[in-house]
Amino acid sequence: MTNKNLVDRSLKSVWHPCSQMKQYENLPLISIHRGKGIWLYDFNDKRYLDAISSWWVNLFGHTNSYINNAVLEQLEKLEHVMLAGFTHEPVVDLSERLTKLAPNGLNHCFYSSDGASAIEAALKMSFHFWHNNGQSKKNNFISLQNGYHGETLGALSVTDVPIFSKIYTPLLRKSIRIPTPDWRYAEEGELPKEYALRAANYLEKYLAKNHKVTAAFIIEPLVQGAVGMGMYHPDYLKYAREICSKYQVHLIADEIAVGFGRTGTMFACEQANITPDFLCLAKGLTSGYLPLSAVLTTKSIYRAFYHKDTKRAFLHSHTHSGNALACSAALATLDIFKQNKSIQANHTKIKYLNDISQPIASHNKVRNFRNCGMIWAFEVKNTDPSFSENFFQRSIDQGLLLRPLGNTVYFMPPYIINKKEMKFLVERTLRILDSY
Ligand SMILES: *Cc1c(COP(=O)(O)O)cnc(C)c1O
């Protein structure tokens, strides 16, 4: 077992996130002593394959020596300086590199601390842009059914995951939900492409009526993560871009989970060849090392704030905006993408894991086996209300870190995963499935 003393101390003093603390009476808390590559090690040196990249952040393995060195080097120079009135090399380098990598036309980077705070910044910026443009009535946001954008109050207002949001309804701003393009909702025989068009028609219908009071439409491009890896056809993004442009509504692409190669391209928006008005990035940005997020936007939005009047400026701030250490981790992450040609290299891995996953796809307990880039997901036929905790426990016993979302089991491994580790992942997953 893991270090009992540390677990007891943790349960006395740490209030763990996304947890009913009482559950830890039965579901043991696992104390991790160290990490190396794709593996996490507990105090008895039992190892667990981190198949979900520690909540979707870790791209190149734990304690990656290249990123470690970059952060250590930065640590000797400057750990942090406020970004209002000051600048530093890592934040400038990172901004230049992000704007080059991102879809064309996103030229300005605004920094926050984490995913939710990037969403808050994008929502506020969108509203404020219309306000500066003399269109203050454009102050509503629309979002997708099953969308997830974080859990601070603004972000939660555009999040459609009742277990996280319902209780807080009195605190939230009303936001309109548009039917999801997730192909699992398509009718029998309807192709993902056809369903994408039908879903886009709902958006068009809504905006035709309400565009004058709508500031922005926010979406997770290609994969709706938190509600169970709902995947959809890239055409939906193309339609969404066209419709938003037609009705003068901003398109906010929340690539916090799907950015940095997760869907097979550097950014998911590339697959529809679109430029959103705002691109929100976090999670993989620092390869999971340090909290950092960015909102990229266009010259024309930036220009609407550029004025001698202070009130027209975007005064939003987070103390750790553009933290130098976090930027150095992000720069090292981008270096690795280039050195390893990761996007290309991943395609071989995607093919291999798809091939060896066929016994999972055809397992009699499995439905909807699907894949988008470095994300795999499937539903398990099981009616136990605590299936998720139970499956998690069985995966831990098998030396795997898998944390299902409801009945959806998913793999989102670090990109350094090799063939042997992919085999281990599939074999152990099959063992768990067979145990039900
Ligand atoms: C995780 C996530 C967020 C929130 O990011 P935090 O860093 O947890 O605040 C927002 N949007 C999407 C799509 C996410 O996956």
Side-chain angles (χ1 to χ4, degrees), residues 5 146 178 226 352 381:
N5 185 26
N146 291 347
I178 303 289
Y352 183 76
K381 294 179 210 164

Side-chain angles (χ1 to χ4, degrees), residues 320-376:
H320 283 96
S321 284
N323 173 265
L325 286 177
C327 288
S328 73
L331 285 166
T333 301
L334 295 181
D335 286 347
I336 299 177
F337 267 105
K338 211 165 155 189
Q339 285 159 14
N340 295 5
K341 297 196 172 65
S342 303
I343 300 287
Q344 228 175 309
N346 280 353
H347 284 132
T348 318
K349 301 189 186 199
I350 294 164
K351 189 175 176 312
Y352 183 76
L353 190 46
N354 271 330
D355 286 348
I356 63 169
S357 291
Q358 283 319 302
I360 297 179
S362 58
H363 196 279
N364 64 6
K365 290 269 177 334
V366 167
R367 279 188 304 134
N368 297 336
F369 182 88
R370 56 195 180 277
N371 161 244
C372 177
M374 290 297 281
I375 309 173
W376 288 262

Side-chain angles (χ1 to χ4, degrees), residues 47-180:
R47 61 181 199 168
Y48 308 91
L49 188 145
D50 188 356
I52 61 165
S53 298
S54 285
W55 261 352
W56 326 347
V57 294
N58 190 302
L59 305 186
F60 298 113
H62 294 278
T63 56
N64 178 292
S65 58
Y66 187 83
I67 306 175
N68 281 8
N69 282 335
V71 174
L72 282 171
E73 259 177 47
Q74 184 56 40
L75 195 54
E76 295 292 335
K77 284 188 246 167
L78 172 73
E79 80 301 337
H80 179 71
V81 63
M82 60 192 283
L83 204 57
F86 294 86
T87 194
H88 53 81
E89 203 174 354
V91 80
V92 175
D93 286 347
L94 181 60
S95 308
E96 287 175 355
R97 286 175 69 177
L98 287 176
T99 54
K100 268 202 203 104
L101 275 174
N104 244 338
L106 297 170
N107 300 309
H108 299 275
C109 297
F110 185 90
Y111 292 93
S112 327
S113 315
D114 49 44
S117 62
I119 298 297
E120 300 290 338
L123 297 173
K124 283 174 70 181
M125 246 183 214
S126 171
F127 162 76
H128 199 160
F129 169 89
W130 297 118
H131 180 87
N132 284 353
N133 234 26
Q135 293 167 277
S136 316
K137 287 214 175 89
K138 284 170 90 66
N139 61 26
N140 290 308
F141 300 109
I142 56 176
S143 52
L144 285 178
Q145 167 196 7
N146 291 347
Y148 178 91
H149 301 288
E151 294 174 51
T152 51
L153 293 176
L156 203 56
S157 295
V158 289
T159 287
D160 184 32
V161 185
I163 184 118
F164 300 144
S165 60
K166 195 155 182 268
I167 185 90
Y168 304 107
T169 305
L171 309 183
L172 303 179
R173 206 161 183 280
K174 278 219 160 56
S175 135
I176 304 299
R177 308 275 184 259
I178 303 289
T180 175

Side-chain angles (χ1 to χ4, degrees), residues 143-372:
S143 52
L144 285 178
Q145 167 196 7
N146 291 347
Y148 178 91
H149 301 288
E151 294 174 51
T152 51
L153 293 176
L156 203 56
S157 295
V158 289
T159 287
D160 184 32
V161 185
I163 184 118
F164 300 144
S165 60
K166 195 155 182 268
I167 185 90
Y168 304 107
T169 305
L171 309 183
L172 303 179
R173 206 161 183 280
K174 278 219 160 56
S175 135
I176 304 299
R177 308 275 184 259
I178 303 289
T180 175
D182 177 350
W183 68 266
R184 289 174 300 170
Y185 289 74
E187 273 167 16
E188 191 79 32
E190 193 178 25
L191 297 172
K193 202 175 158 75
E194 294 165 345
Y195 184 57
L197 176 60
R198 188 152 65 88
N201 286 336
Y202 291 115
L203 175 66
E204 165 116 42
K205 234 191 207 151
Y206 180 81
L207 284 185
K209 266 202 212 132
N210 300 289
H211 64 98
K212 288 201 177 113
V213 294
T214 306
F217 174 41
I218 182 165
I219 49 172
E220 291 159 271
L222 298 186
V223 184
Q224 293 187 289
V227 116
M229 304 297 158
M231 299 179 184
Y232 62 87
H233 196 276
D235 275 3
Y236 185 80
L237 293 175
K238 244 182 9 206
Y239 297 133
R241 175 68 282 179
E242 281 164 19
I243 296 165
C244 286
S245 299
K246 176 172 166 190
Y247 291 106
Q248 290 210 2
V249 165
H250 291 143
L251 179 65
I252 304 176
D254 175 355
E255 294 220 17
I256 288 166
V258 296
F260 300 102
R262 246 327 139 187
T263 65
T265 45
M266 194 61 171
F267 299 109
C269 283
E270 290 170 31
Q271 294 185 40
N273 201 15
I274 60 154
T275 299
D277 298 289
F278 299 95
L279 176 69
C280 300
L281 303 173
K283 291 204 167 96
L285 175 59
T286 65
S287 208
Y289 265 65
L290 288 155
L292 179 73
S293 60
V295 180
L296 274 64
T297 192
T298 61
K299 199 159 260 157
S300 71
I301 288 173
Y302 174 80
R303 294 293 306 180
F305 293 81
Y306 202 87
H307 198 273
K308 60 179 187 299
D309 181 0
T310 307
K311 287 198 300 293
R312 285 184 66 117
F314 193 58
L315 300 179
H316 184 95
S317 65
H318 293 284
T319 308
H320 283 96
S321 284
N323 173 265
L325 286 177
C327 288
S328 73
L331 285 166
T333 301
L334 295 181
D335 286 347
I336 299 177
F337 267 105
K338 211 165 155 189
Q339 285 159 14
N340 295 5
K341 297 196 172 65
S342 303
I343 300 287
Q344 228 175 309
N346 280 353
H347 284 132
T348 318
K349 301 189 186 199
I350 294 164
K351 189 175 176 312
Y352 183 76
L353 190 46
N354 271 330
D355 286 348
I356 63 169
S357 291
Q358 283 319 302
I360 297 179
S362 58
H363 196 279
N364 64 6
K365 290 269 177 334
V366 167
R367 279 188 304 134
N368 297 336
F369 182 88
R370 56 195 180 277
N371 161 244
C372 177

